[in-house]
Amino acid sequence: MDSGKHRDMAKYTQRGSTALDQCIDGHLRRIAEVAQPHALAGILLGGYGRGEGSPFINPDGTQSPFNDYDLIVVVDKKSKELRRKLNAQETQLTEELGLPVDLCPYISSHLRRCEFSLLNYEMKYGHKVVWGDENILSAMPDYPHSAIPFSEGSRLLLNRGKLLLDIQQRLAEATPLTEEERIRFIKFIHKALLALGDCALLSSSQYDISYHVKKERIQHIGNCPARTSVINGFLNAVELKEWGDFQALENYDIAREFNRVREIFLRFMSWYRAQHAQRECSIPKAIALNLKWNRTLDTNHPRERLYDAILGLLGNNPICSAEKFYQLQRRFS
């Protein structure tokens, strides 16, 4: 029985239970207890921050948190000591809560000049303040809803391509997947499907922060590779996001679905980049970054090389090793 239907909308999800809200409340209180002494404010991002997170449906019908806890912690200044403390707190809280906890520091005096990125756009317009000044993000610039840089779509595809690469690397091993891996990889495939829809919406100038709105608009995207599959995949992925019943996917063929989505992803990302190629930084900055990280005189941002790298790795035509890709992706994603 879909026990989420008894509520119009929960606090952190669209269809979750009161018990789930209370559980997440408790987790956030614990995060605040640990991190608040070192930060002026804690800002919850992602699905739970927007009120569109996922309830994980257990076999007995109860619900558990499923999304990572991604928080911006606003600080007076950054230091190596602070970063070490936050890293230790992330490890501690992840072990305690059983879900990944990410604490990303933002300097309070820098909020007013935060770049126009998809992360900052979604932070500005879709968040919950866990502790600190409720209006602290009012200092951020007003980002025009119709002017999200198209390069942000490329960055999103890069990050979701990394998840597909994780699956590809694991499927190449002989040992069968564990149940935990099965659930994680189904989630990764659906995250890739969400990204395809998001980027199709972005390309059509119809992107919105709310999945409720995006579900309405996805039918009106323009032409793109595998358009019908992109639309249907996006809607299916939103459904799983809103009601995380992985028990209903016990016959889900991960290898088959991975290969199907991988093929669509390769075509779509190549098309998207051709449509929306943009320089991601100045030439002097690009040269400096490449000298440091690639030891080359490339005039394009290192992330642009990663776009080619993920397409090569997923398309079995690699231009670098997976290990090198992972190293640079962690730095520049």
Side-chain angles (χ1 to χ4, degrees):
M1 177 179 179
D2 183 343
S3 58
K5 290 181 179 177
H6 72 285
R7 308 179 71 198
D8 292 332
M9 183 175 175
K11 183 176 180 181
Y12 299 104
T13 68
Q14 292 289 304
R15 297 159 61 189
S17 65
T18 300
L20 178 63
D21 279 350
Q22 292 171 346
C23 179
I24 296 173
D25 282 339
H27 285 177
L28 294 176
R29 282 195 297 271
R30 179 58 184 149
I31 292 172
E33 287 174 3
V34 173
Q36 185 171 1
H38 308 287
L40 301 172
I43 316 295
L44 179 64
L45 308 182
Y48 290 147
R50 292 192 306 272
E52 294 185 322
S54 300
F56 182 81
I57 312 305
N58 298 304
D60 64 358
T62 60
Q63 301 174 17
S64 301
F66 190 54
N67 293 101
D68 300 352
Y69 292 119
D70 295 321
L71 287 96
I72 297 296
V73 289
V74 182
V75 298
D76 282 326
K77 61 181 180 180
K78 293 182 185 178
S79 66
K80 290 183 178 179
E81 180 182 0
L82 173 66
R83 185 66 262 183
R84 282 193 296 268
K85 284 182 179 178
L86 292 178
N87 287 341
Q89 290 169 355
E90 288 173 342
T91 300
Q92 173 192 345
L93 289 165
T94 296
E95 291 176 355
E96 280 189 31
L97 304 181
L99 286 168
V101 176
D102 183 71
L103 304 172
C104 179
Y106 270 47
I107 300 174
S108 58
S109 61
H110 292 181
L111 288 174
R112 65 182 184 277
R113 57 177 185 271
C114 284
E115 66 173 344
F116 193 171
S117 68
L118 199 54
L119 170 64
N120 288 335
Y121 170 81
E122 296 200 351
M123 178 169 74
K124 169 85 172 182
Y125 299 114
H127 67 269
K128 286 183 173 62
V129 177
V130 180
W131 73 85
D133 181 359
E134 287 286 336
N135 298 311
I136 193 165
L137 296 189
S138 63
M140 295 179 72
D142 291 324
Y143 303 120
H145 301 297
S146 60
I148 299 171
F150 289 119
S151 59
E152 289 299 294
S154 297
R155 189 188 298 197
L156 175 61
L157 291 170
L158 171 66
N159 292 335
R160 298 305 180 249
K162 181 266 182 189
L163 300 183
L164 294 178
L165 182 61
D166 290 347
I167 301 174
Q168 180 171 280
Q169 294 285 100
R170 179 62 180 87
L171 290 178
E173 300 176 13
T175 54
L177 300 180
T178 65
E179 183 60 21
E180 185 275 333
E181 287 176 320
R182 269 186 53 79
I183 292 174
R184 184 166 77 249
F185 291 161
I186 291 172
K187 180 181 179 181
F188 284 1
I189 290 170
H190 284 76
K191 276 182 171 285
L193 291 169
L194 288 174
L196 295 175
D198 280 340
C199 289
L201 289 163
L202 186 59
S203 181
S204 300
S205 300
Q206 296 189 77
Y207 185 85
D208 191 90
I209 193 172
S210 165
Y211 278 101
H212 176 75
V213 175
K214 288 190 281 194
K215 283 192 296 184
E216 297 293 327
R217 294 182 178 179
I218 193 68
Q219 301 287 354
H220 306 292
I221 59 172
N223 290 324
C224 67
R227 183 179 185 275
T228 300
S229 295
V230 168
I231 292 171
N232 292 337
F234 180 81
L235 292 173
N236 289 336
V238 173
E239 173 64 22
L240 184 63
K241 180 178 180 61
E242 292 180 349
W243 192 248
D245 187 1
F246 287 81
Q247 306 300 320
L249 299 175
E250 60 181 350
N251 296 320
Y252 190 90
D253 189 329
I254 288 180
R256 182 185 66 196
E257 290 302 309
F258 161 74
N259 280 308
R260 184 184 70 84
V261 174
R262 178 180 66 89
E263 290 294 335
I264 296 171
F265 182 89
L266 288 169
R267 292 168 56 199
F268 186 97
M269 185 171 182
S270 296
W271 168 84
Y272 185 89
R273 289 188 64 214
Q275 296 292 311
H276 303 299
Q278 290 182 327
R279 170 166 291 282
E280 299 199 15
C281 70
S282 67
I283 290 177
K285 181 178 179 179
I287 291 173
L289 288 172
N290 279 295
L291 285 174
K292 179 178 180 179
W293 291 97
N294 296 323
R295 297 182 181 179
T296 68
L297 285 173
D298 198 331
T299 58
N300 293 315
H301 193 288
R303 190 161 47 243
E304 296 179 56
R305 183 168 181 263
L306 286 174
Y307 301 149
D308 293 328
I310 192 60
L311 290 171
L313 288 163
L314 290 175
N316 298 314
N317 187 28
I319 63 172
C320 70
S321 68
E323 292 74 17
K324 181 65 173 178
F325 169 82
Y326 282 129
Q327 176 192 4
L328 293 176
Q329 190 267 345
R330 284 192 295 270
R331 174 63 182 83
F332 294 111
S333 64

